[in-house]
Amino acid sequence: YKLAYKHETHIDGFIAVSASIAQNLKQVIPSRITDVVYLRFPVQENNCLIKKSPGISAMFVGRPTKEKGFHLLPQIAAILKKEGIEVEWYLVGISQKNDFQQWPNVKIIFYEELNNDALLKKMCQMWFLLLPSSAEGMPVSVIEAMKAAVVPIVNDLSGGVQELIENEITGFTIKENSVSDYASVIKTVSQNSLLMSRIQERAKQKADLLFEPIANTSLYEIFFATCKH
């Protein structure tokens, strides 16, 4: 917002990636309200041909930092392990060189580097995507997961998360990033195939509708074509 305010006289138009960001930006530069537009990302379709993994699988995509909530994963894994729930953890963007002493004895699959096509294919096998970040705009990894019929379990953040996740309908939002609640959702949903299928279907339907690549790309093209110079 500070950069937009500082350089607004040199900028023809502003694209916001979520409705809340657009609203906040309009308050920062009220004289440019008509130049601020909310345009959803064009996100690649993913009509998975690969079946879900036979065992419970959970994916994390991002940096191994506190801001991304990485430190919460071993706590969630430990709760599930104690309750006899075996989960395979798929960590994307994470090196085995990181410190994993806090993790319980669970199966962890590392993908330090994974191109986007490979990531989308791997998502098709996942049951859950966890996003315990402390801040997000419009999390693309969640959109991609939803398009792959993965159940998203995310920190109850303001902004884009609220546009994507209707709690218990298209995924789950976790109040105050409670590790016990993350574990509880994984346990409950993994033991209820009907609930799992219903959320997978609704998540995919919503992401496919809102982030259709051709239609959304066209809106960007129209914006750039009509933007004053």
Side-chain angles (χ1 to χ4, degrees):
Y1 299 115
K2 291 181 180 179
L3 284 174
Y5 178 80
K6 181 178 180 180
H7 300 289
E8 61 101 359
T9 57
H10 303 286
I11 298 173
D12 295 320
F14 303 84
I15 296 175
V17 298
S18 75
S20 60
I21 291 175
Q23 185 60 37
N24 292 339
L25 188 54
K26 288 176 181 179
Q27 293 175 356
V28 171
I29 46 173
S31 63
R32 302 293 302 278
I33 284 178
T34 57
D35 297 321
V36 177
V37 298
Y38 166 32
L39 296 179
R40 297 187 180 99
F41 296 127
V43 179
Q44 181 178 337
E45 303 291 14
N46 194 355
N47 297 312
C48 296
L49 300 176
I50 304 171
K51 293 182 179 180
K52 298 295 182 187
S53 61
I56 304 169
S57 53
M59 176 177 278
F60 172 87
V61 180
R63 301 183 304 277
T65 63
K66 188 173 183 179
E67 290 74 22
K68 288 296 183 182
F70 183 74
H71 65 295
L72 301 179
L73 299 184
Q75 299 175 47
I76 299 167
I79 293 171
L80 291 166
K81 180 75 173 179
K82 185 176 180 180
E83 296 189 10
I85 308 297
E86 296 293 333
V87 178
E88 292 184 354
W89 294 87
Y90 291 75
L91 307 181
V92 180
I94 311 297
S95 169
Q96 288 180 273
K97 296 177 182 178
N98 287 285
D99 182 8
F100 287 91
Q101 292 183 0
Q102 301 301 317
W103 282 77
N105 183 23
V106 295
K107 185 175 181 179
I108 304 174
I109 297 92
F110 300 91
Y111 294 96
E112 186 172 356
E113 295 183 9
L114 202 63
N115 65 47
N116 197 59
D117 286 342
L119 173 61
L120 296 182
K121 288 181 181 178
K122 184 55 62 177
M123 277 185 170
C124 290
Q125 298 176 272
M126 297 296 106
W127 290 33
F128 302 101
L129 176 86
L130 273 64
L131 184 84
S133 298
S134 58
E136 290 286 342
M138 180 62 76
V140 177
S141 62
V142 173
I143 301 168
E144 291 175 332
M146 292 170 71
K147 287 200 168 201
V150 179
V151 175
I153 312 175
V154 305
N155 188 15
D156 190 20
L157 299 169
S158 60
V161 163
Q162 299 302 320
E163 297 176 43
L164 293 171
I165 309 301
E166 300 170 80
N167 192 40
E168 300 184 15
I169 297 175
T170 60
F172 294 87
T173 51
I174 303 298
K175 299 291 185 183
E176 299 179 353
N177 243 358
S178 165
V179 292
S180 61
D181 287 351
Y182 277 101
S184 177
V185 168
I186 291 173
K187 179 180 179 180
T188 299
V189 177
S190 64
Q191 294 176 344
N192 187 332
S193 59
L194 182 61
L195 176 61
M196 168 78 82
S197 297
R198 185 168 68 243
I199 294 177
Q200 287 173 335
E201 181 179 356
R202 289 174 176 173
K204 180 168 177 56
Q205 287 176 344
K206 184 166 188 176
D208 285 345
L209 176 65
L210 297 183
F211 298 91
E212 203 284 322
I214 297 176
N216 288 9
T217 297
S218 296
L219 293 175
Y220 275 85
E221 291 172 343
I222 292 170
F223 172 79
F224 289 121
T226 57
C227 200
K228 63 184 181 181
H229 297 285

